[in-house]
Amino acid sequence: MARITYVNGAYLPHDRAGVHIEDRGFQFADGIYEVVQVANGIIVDLDWHLDRFEYSLNELKIPMPMTRAALMVVMKNIIAKNYLPYGVVYMQVTRGVAKRDFAFPRDVQPSLVVVAMRMKPWPDAMIENGVKVITLPDIRWKRCDIKSVSLLAPVLGKQQAKEAGAFEGWMVDENGFITEGTSSNAFIVTKDKEIITRAKDHRILGGITRARLLVIAQEHGYILKERLFTVAEAKASSEAFISSSSTFVMPVVQIDDAVVGDGKVGAISKALRKAYREFAGI
Ligand code: PMP
């Protein structure tokens, strides 16, 4: 089945889908994106994703490219046209196409791209044995709460992690506190079985999976605290994991050279992963 992608009002064969070279996303990374998980044809936590989508646009003073209802129709069409019962839908909005000038252009239409992506399931061994993360300096700008397409720091960080044989890079702010992963949120579990993740601020993206896990953790009677934690505390923790729309809950068993807990996937990480998957129907 041919892959179909939505670009500015048209459903096109994926390999012919493109934007102009003067698109401000291409020239300035002047845009935002969203990634949603599709399970059994249904988008997981769609309302929360659309809230964040609108928030990011508002913060950059980019108008919504279409109403929320119309956007939902486009997403539904893309899921149907690509026959995507499970996978990911990627949406990107930029300020539009205009002559290269830093200040906002007047009278431009935002560009909208909606893409269906198939995802291979993560190898069972990763879920069962856990993954390694490395720590690296957080060199990003100070508005990481905006889901901006300006992703150079995460690109460099993820590459560094890959070269170190790690699954993810945990970024560390100038005070030694972990902010988040290059494309995920970071969690640890203390010896007292408290789940810890950094509180939402401008230094992290408010992950939708993170938000869902806060609810799930509470429903399951876990104590979850949103507070700062250092690299040293993370290395001395009894469990660690990351969350994102594509990994759900991915257990972490090594941070740099430090083994987390007993080096095995922790019970709380396991239980949260199971509960999240049940919730999402994945
Ligand atoms: N933090 C960053 C920097 C991310 O890029 C992502 C993934 N988009 C997340 C956190 C996780 O967000 P979500 O759970 O909404 O996928």
Side-chain angles (χ1 to χ4, degrees):
M1 184 189 247
R3 197 170 164 204
I4 301 294
T5 288
Y6 176 93
V7 186
N8 293 330
Y11 292 91
L12 302 171
H14 185 72
D15 49 7
R16 285 206 285 114
V19 291
H20 194 269
I21 55 155
E22 281 194 318
D23 191 284
R24 288 178 63 95
F26 183 62
Q27 300 214 327
F28 298 114
D30 187 3
I32 64 102
Y33 72 109
E34 263 305 320
V35 179
V36 298
Q37 188 78 33
V38 181
N40 214 0
I42 293 167
I43 296 172
V44 181
D45 277 326
L46 174 60
D47 286 344
W48 289 0
H49 279 282
L50 290 178
D51 287 347
R52 185 172 67 184
F53 183 81
E54 281 193 43
Y55 172 80
S56 297
L57 287 173
N58 265 328
E59 291 304 295
L60 298 184
K61 299 187 172 63
I62 298 175
M64 276 282 272
M66 57 176 63
T67 63
R68 220 166 143 130
L71 188 60
M72 280 156 69
V73 171
V74 173
M75 294 167 90
K76 232 173 116 183
N77 287 344
I78 278 295
I79 291 168
K81 284 177 191 295
N82 288 281
Y83 184 67
L84 191 79
Y86 292 90
V88 156
V89 173
Y90 173 90
M91 301 194 287
Q92 177 172 328
V93 179
T94 73
R95 201 178 302 278
V97 177
K99 180 169 165 289
R100 191 174 185 282
D101 183 7
F102 282 74
F104 298 174
R106 298 224 275 179
D107 303 326
V108 290
Q109 267 295 107
S111 301
L112 170 65
V113 168
V114 183
V115 188
M117 299 194 287
R118 272 173 215 293
M119 299 279 295
K120 269 200 213 134
W122 301 106
D124 288 343
M126 260 167 69
I127 316 293
E128 280 154 26
N129 304 331
V131 297
K132 171 185 170 181
V133 301
I134 57 164
T135 58
L136 35 100
D138 194 338
I139 58 168
R140 298 175 302 167
W141 73 330
K142 296 192 176 104
R143 289 305 308 275
C144 301
D145 54 315
I146 300 171
K147 202 162 167 60
S148 148
V149 292
S150 174
L151 291 169
L152 259 188
V155 164
L156 297 178
K158 192 77 94 181
Q159 180 61 22
Q160 198 180 324
K162 193 175 167 186
E163 285 170 15
F167 180 74
E168 179 61 300
W170 275 8
M171 298 177 287
V172 182
D173 70 17
E174 47 297 334
N175 298 315
F177 297 112
I178 290 169
T179 53
E180 61 182 333
T182 64
S183 62
S184 58
N185 289 111
F187 291 75
I188 58 169
V189 180
T190 67
K191 301 250 174 334
D192 303 330
K193 298 192 175 6
E194 283 182 3
I195 306 167
I196 311 293
T197 194
R198 188 182 176 109
K200 265 170 70 173
D201 58 17
H202 285 181
R203 300 299 298 269
I204 68 165
L205 182 78
I208 303 303
T209 320
R210 173 191 179 283
R212 178 54 62 193
L213 285 174
L214 300 195
V215 176
I216 290 176
Q218 200 178 19
E219 284 168 359
H220 283 72
Y222 294 114
I223 298 167
L224 193 148
K225 291 196 174 146
E226 293 176 86
R227 65 157 170 86
L228 298 171
F229 58 99
T230 62
V231 175
E233 185 180 6
K235 288 181 177 174
S237 64
S238 63
E239 292 185 35
F241 60 90
I242 64 173
S243 76
S244 73
S245 297
S246 53
T247 55
F248 322 142
V249 173
M250 178 68 79
V252 171
V253 293
Q254 190 180 336
I255 304 171
D256 297 326
D257 290 331
V259 170
V260 177
D262 61 3
K264 297 205 177 83
V265 172
I268 293 178
S269 311
K270 229 183 247 177
L272 285 178
R273 182 175 173 87
K274 184 165 175 279
Y276 181 83
R277 291 190 61 182
E278 275 165 14
F279 158 77
I282 300 175

mmCIF file of all heavy atoms in Angstrom, residues 33 49 52 140 147 180-185 205-210 243-245, ligand 1:
data_model
loop_
_atom_site.group_PDB
_atom_site.id
_atom_site.type_symbol
_atom_site.label_atom_id
_atom_site.label_comp_id
_atom_site.label_asym_id
_atom_site.label_seq_id
_atom_site.Cartn_x
_atom_site.Cartn_y
_atom_site.Cartn_z
ATOM 1 N N TYR A 33 6.232 20.530 16.641
ATOM 2 C CA TYR A 33 5.756 19.235 16.168
ATOM 3 C C TYR A 33 5.067 18.485 17.300
ATOM 4 O O TYR A 33 5.137 18.888 18.472
ATOM 5 C CB TYR A 33 6.907 18.413 15.583
ATOM 6 C CG TYR A 33 7.899 17.865 16.600
ATOM 7 C CD1 TYR A 33 7.946 16.504 16.901
ATOM 8 C CD2 TYR A 33 8.785 18.704 17.258
ATOM 9 C CE1 TYR A 33 8.844 15.988 17.824
ATOM 10 C CE2 TYR A 33 9.691 18.200 18.195
ATOM 11 C CZ TYR A 33 9.710 16.846 18.462
ATOM 12 O OH TYR A 33 10.598 16.352 19.389
ATOM 13 N N HIS A 49 -2.340 15.686 23.717
ATOM 14 C CA HIS A 49 -1.370 16.025 22.657
ATOM 15 C C HIS A 49 -1.793 17.308 21.941
ATOM 16 O O HIS A 49 -0.968 18.163 21.636
ATOM 17 C CB HIS A 49 -1.238 14.874 21.660
ATOM 18 C CG HIS A 49 -0.324 13.783 22.131
ATOM 19 N ND1 HIS A 49 1.044 13.884 22.074
ATOM 20 C CD2 HIS A 49 -0.580 12.586 22.690
ATOM 21 C CE1 HIS A 49 1.594 12.794 22.570
ATOM 22 N NE2 HIS A 49 0.623 11.976 22.954
ATOM 23 N N ARG A 52 -1.030 20.316 24.023
ATOM 24 C CA ARG A 52 0.389 20.690 23.972
ATOM 25 C C ARG A 52 0.735 21.315 22.613
ATOM 26 O O ARG A 52 1.521 22.256 22.539
ATOM 27 C CB ARG A 52 1.272 19.459 24.250
ATOM 28 C CG ARG A 52 2.759 19.804 24.329
ATOM 29 C CD ARG A 52 3.590 18.627 24.785
ATOM 30 N NE ARG A 52 3.609 17.541 23.802
ATOM 31 C CZ ARG A 52 4.207 16.368 23.982
ATOM 32 N NH1 ARG A 52 4.860 16.129 25.114
ATOM 33 N NH2 ARG A 52 4.184 15.440 23.051
ATOM 34 N N ARG A 140 20.743 22.777 25.686
ATOM 35 C CA ARG A 140 19.598 23.315 24.945
ATOM 36 C C ARG A 140 19.254 24.728 25.395
ATOM 37 O O ARG A 140 19.756 25.217 26.396
ATOM 38 C CB ARG A 140 18.381 22.410 25.147
ATOM 39 C CG ARG A 140 18.589 21.012 24.615
ATOM 40 C CD ARG A 140 17.415 20.117 24.954
ATOM 41 N NE ARG A 140 17.183 20.032 26.385
ATOM 42 C CZ ARG A 140 16.097 19.523 26.942
ATOM 43 N NH1 ARG A 140 15.135 19.055 26.186
ATOM 44 N NH2 ARG A 140 15.966 19.485 28.264
ATOM 45 N N LYS A 147 7.584 22.319 22.201
ATOM 46 C CA LYS A 147 8.026 21.168 21.398
ATOM 47 C C LYS A 147 8.490 21.683 20.033
ATOM 48 O O LYS A 147 7.828 21.513 19.004
ATOM 49 C CB LYS A 147 6.903 20.130 21.285
ATOM 50 C CG LYS A 147 7.427 18.742 20.949
ATOM 51 C CD LYS A 147 6.385 17.698 21.279
ATOM 52 C CE LYS A 147 6.699 16.346 20.685
ATOM 53 N NZ LYS A 147 7.952 15.744 21.098
ATOM 54 N N GLU A 180 16.092 15.794 31.575
ATOM 55 C CA GLU A 180 15.299 14.745 30.917
ATOM 56 C C GLU A 180 16.174 14.048 29.895
ATOM 57 O O GLU A 180 17.353 14.394 29.729
ATOM 58 C CB GLU A 180 14.064 15.353 30.246
ATOM 59 C CG GLU A 180 14.410 16.372 29.171
ATOM 60 C CD GLU A 180 13.187 17.022 28.528
ATOM 61 O OE1 GLU A 180 12.121 16.403 28.500
ATOM 62 O OE2 GLU A 180 13.330 18.156 28.029
ATOM 63 N N GLY A 181 15.610 13.075 29.192
ATOM 64 C CA GLY A 181 16.329 12.417 28.113
ATOM 65 C C GLY A 181 16.285 13.275 26.858
ATOM 66 O O GLY A 181 15.515 14.241 26.781
ATOM 67 N N THR A 182 17.084 12.912 25.848
ATOM 68 C CA THR A 182 17.095 13.713 24.620
ATOM 69 C C THR A 182 15.733 13.663 23.924
ATOM 70 O O THR A 182 15.366 14.607 23.239
ATOM 71 C CB THR A 182 18.181 13.224 23.635
ATOM 72 O OG1 THR A 182 17.863 11.899 23.224
ATOM 73 C CG2 THR A 182 19.570 13.253 24.244
ATOM 74 N N SER A 183 14.995 12.559 24.111
ATOM 75 C CA SER A 183 13.643 12.495 23.549
ATOM 76 C C SER A 183 12.709 11.720 24.466
ATOM 77 O O SER A 183 11.853 10.964 24.008
ATOM 78 C CB SER A 183 13.676 11.853 22.156
ATOM 79 O OG SER A 183 14.142 10.529 22.253
ATOM 80 N N SER A 184 12.900 11.914 25.763
ATOM 81 C CA SER A 184 12.071 11.188 26.740
ATOM 82 C C SER A 184 12.187 11.880 28.089
ATOM 83 O O SER A 184 13.089 12.686 28.296
ATOM 84 C CB SER A 184 12.564 9.743 26.868
ATOM 85 O OG SER A 184 13.929 9.727 27.250
ATOM 86 N N ASN A 185 11.291 11.557 29.000
ATOM 87 C CA ASN A 185 11.402 12.057 30.372
ATOM 88 C C ASN A 185 12.114 11.026 31.239
ATOM 89 O O ASN A 185 12.107 9.834 30.929
ATOM 90 C CB ASN A 185 10.026 12.396 30.938
ATOM 91 C CG ASN A 185 9.435 13.640 30.288
ATOM 92 O OD1 ASN A 185 8.456 13.572 29.542
ATOM 93 N ND2 ASN A 185 10.035 14.777 30.538
ATOM 94 N N LEU A 205 10.419 19.156 28.536
ATOM 95 C CA LEU A 205 9.155 19.047 27.814
ATOM 96 C C LEU A 205 8.176 18.281 28.709
ATOM 97 O O LEU A 205 8.544 17.245 29.266
ATOM 98 C CB LEU A 205 9.358 18.277 26.502
ATOM 99 C CG LEU A 205 8.078 18.176 25.680
ATOM 100 C CD1 LEU A 205 7.808 19.489 24.952
ATOM 101 C CD2 LEU A 205 8.149 17.041 24.680
ATOM 102 N N GLY A 206 6.991 18.809 28.833
ATOM 103 C CA GLY A 206 5.971 18.093 29.609
ATOM 104 C C GLY A 206 5.486 16.911 28.785
ATOM 105 O O GLY A 206 4.583 17.045 27.961
ATOM 106 N N GLY A 207 6.098 15.777 28.978
ATOM 107 C CA GLY A 207 5.742 14.589 28.187
ATOM 108 C C GLY A 207 4.307 14.178 28.485
ATOM 109 O O GLY A 207 3.844 14.235 29.625
ATOM 110 N N ILE A 208 3.617 13.733 27.446
ATOM 111 C CA ILE A 208 2.241 13.266 27.638
ATOM 112 C C ILE A 208 2.267 11.907 28.346
ATOM 113 O O ILE A 208 1.428 11.626 29.195
ATOM 114 C CB ILE A 208 1.505 13.170 26.275
ATOM 115 C CG1 ILE A 208 1.520 14.543 25.563
ATOM 116 C CG2 ILE A 208 0.082 12.650 26.448
ATOM 117 C CD1 ILE A 208 0.920 15.684 26.336
ATOM 118 N N THR A 209 3.257 11.081 28.028
ATOM 119 C CA THR A 209 3.378 9.789 28.710
ATOM 120 C C THR A 209 3.698 10.028 30.188
ATOM 121 O O THR A 209 3.150 9.364 31.064
ATOM 122 C CB THR A 209 4.484 8.943 28.056
ATOM 123 O OG1 THR A 209 4.420 9.121 26.646
ATOM 124 C CG2 THR A 209 4.347 7.476 28.409
ATOM 125 N N ARG A 210 4.573 10.996 30.432
ATOM 126 C CA ARG A 210 4.904 11.390 31.811
ATOM 127 C C ARG A 210 3.620 11.770 32.560
ATOM 128 O O ARG A 210 3.363 11.290 33.670
ATOM 129 C CB ARG A 210 5.878 12.575 31.768
ATOM 130 C CG ARG A 210 6.183 13.208 33.104
ATOM 131 C CD ARG A 210 6.942 14.538 32.899
ATOM 132 N NE ARG A 210 7.228 15.187 34.164
ATOM 133 C CZ ARG A 210 6.327 15.856 34.881
ATOM 134 N NH1 ARG A 210 5.072 15.954 34.463
ATOM 135 N NH2 ARG A 210 6.671 16.412 36.040
ATOM 136 N N SER A 243 10.315 7.649 29.903
ATOM 137 C CA SER A 243 8.973 7.566 29.318
ATOM 138 C C SER A 243 8.895 8.426 28.068
ATOM 139 O O SER A 243 9.518 9.482 27.984
ATOM 140 C CB SER A 243 7.916 8.043 30.320
ATOM 141 O OG SER A 243 7.925 9.456 30.418
ATOM 142 N N SER A 244 8.154 7.932 27.086
ATOM 143 C CA SER A 244 7.831 8.723 25.894
ATOM 144 C C SER A 244 6.732 7.986 25.139
ATOM 145 O O SER A 244 6.468 6.812 25.410
ATOM 146 C CB SER A 244 9.052 8.897 24.985
ATOM 147 O OG SER A 244 9.338 7.696 24.317
ATOM 148 N N SER A 245 6.147 8.677 24.177
ATOM 149 C CA SER A 245 5.052 8.073 23.402
ATOM 150 C C SER A 245 5.518 6.842 22.641
ATOM 151 O O SER A 245 4.715 5.963 22.354
ATOM 152 C CB SER A 245 4.493 9.085 22.397
ATOM 153 O OG SER A 245 3.936 10.168 23.079
HETATM 154 N N1 PMP B 1 11.176 15.078 26.458
HETATM 155 C C1 PMP B 1 11.625 15.339 25.226
HETATM 156 C C2 PMP B 1 12.764 16.283 25.054
HETATM 157 C C3 PMP B 1 11.037 14.720 24.105
HETATM 158 O O1 PMP B 1 11.484 14.976 22.865
HETATM 159 C C4 PMP B 1 9.987 13.787 24.321
HETATM 160 C C5 PMP B 1 9.382 13.048 23.164
HETATM 161 N N2 PMP B 1 8.785 13.858 22.246
HETATM 162 C C6 PMP B 1 9.550 13.564 25.624
HETATM 163 C C7 PMP B 1 10.155 14.232 26.666
HETATM 164 C C8 PMP B 1 8.422 12.616 25.897
HETATM 165 O O2 PMP B 1 7.201 13.186 25.521
HETATM 166 P P1 PMP B 1 5.932 12.283 25.169
HETATM 167 O O3 PMP B 1 5.690 11.410 26.352
HETATM 168 O O4 PMP B 1 4.838 13.267 24.959
HETATM 169 O O5 PMP B 1 6.282 11.508 23.954
#
